[in-house]
């Protein structure tokens, strides 16, 4: 996949994915902020749609897209997502941030 850039809090369509032996009904993509697609990853797994795309809404940051080929691995376990299929940058604030400000103060 080419590099993907999206806006925080808005739907971002990734894909279409293409290649041999893909099962677009069962294969999944894990979206993670960790460095490499191997081992126990944390992130959110998404089914790839029938048209080879997936849609996500994320907070600002840099993400790696890790693929699990369902015919070769257990896609319900984070260890199955071993292939990097792309990277994405989400521009904007991260989710879960709380800020306070006082009118008239430059901080």
């Amino acid at each position: 996949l080419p590099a993907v850039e999206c806006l925080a809090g808005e739907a971002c369509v990734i894909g279409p994915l293409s290649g041999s032996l893909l099962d677009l009904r069962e294969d999944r993509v894990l979206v993670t902020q960790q460095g490499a697609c191997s081992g126990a990853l944390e992130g959110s797994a998404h089914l790839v749609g029938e048209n080879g795309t997936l849609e996500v809404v994320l907070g600002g940051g840099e993400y790696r897209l890790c693929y699990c080929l369902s015919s070769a691995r257990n896609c319900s376990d984070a260890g199955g997502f071993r292939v990097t299929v792309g990277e994405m940058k989400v521009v904007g604030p991260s989710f879960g941030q709380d800020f306070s400000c006082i009118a008239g103060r430059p901080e």
Side-chain angles (χ1 to χ4, degrees):
L1 284 174
V4 177
E5 188 169 306
C6 298
L7 296 176
E10 294 188 8
C12 182
V13 177
I14 301 166
L17 299 175
S18 61
S20 61
L21 302 175
L22 300 182
D23 182 349
L24 299 179
R25 296 173 312 243
E26 297 294 330
D27 294 351
R28 297 176 186 273
V29 171
L30 183 87
V31 180
T32 183
Q33 286 187 294
Q34 290 180 285
C37 293
S38 63
L41 295 171
E42 293 180 12
S44 54
H46 304 271
L47 274 172
V48 179
E50 288 186 24
N51 61 356
T53 65
L54 67 134
E55 185 175 305
V56 296
V57 177
L58 300 165
E62 294 186 7
Y63 297 85
R64 185 172 302 275
L65 307 172
C66 304
Y67 192 80
C68 180
L69 183 65
S70 62
S71 62
R73 305 206 182 280
N74 179 359
C75 294
S76 62
D77 175 63
F81 294 86
R82 297 178 181 263
V83 177
T84 300
V85 292
E87 295 178 353
M88 65 184 294
K89 181 177 184 179
V90 179
V91 179
S94 298
F95 290 154
Q97 295 185 45
D98 291 319
F99 295 98
S100 298
C101 48
I102 301 170
R105 291 192 65 174
E107 297 175 24

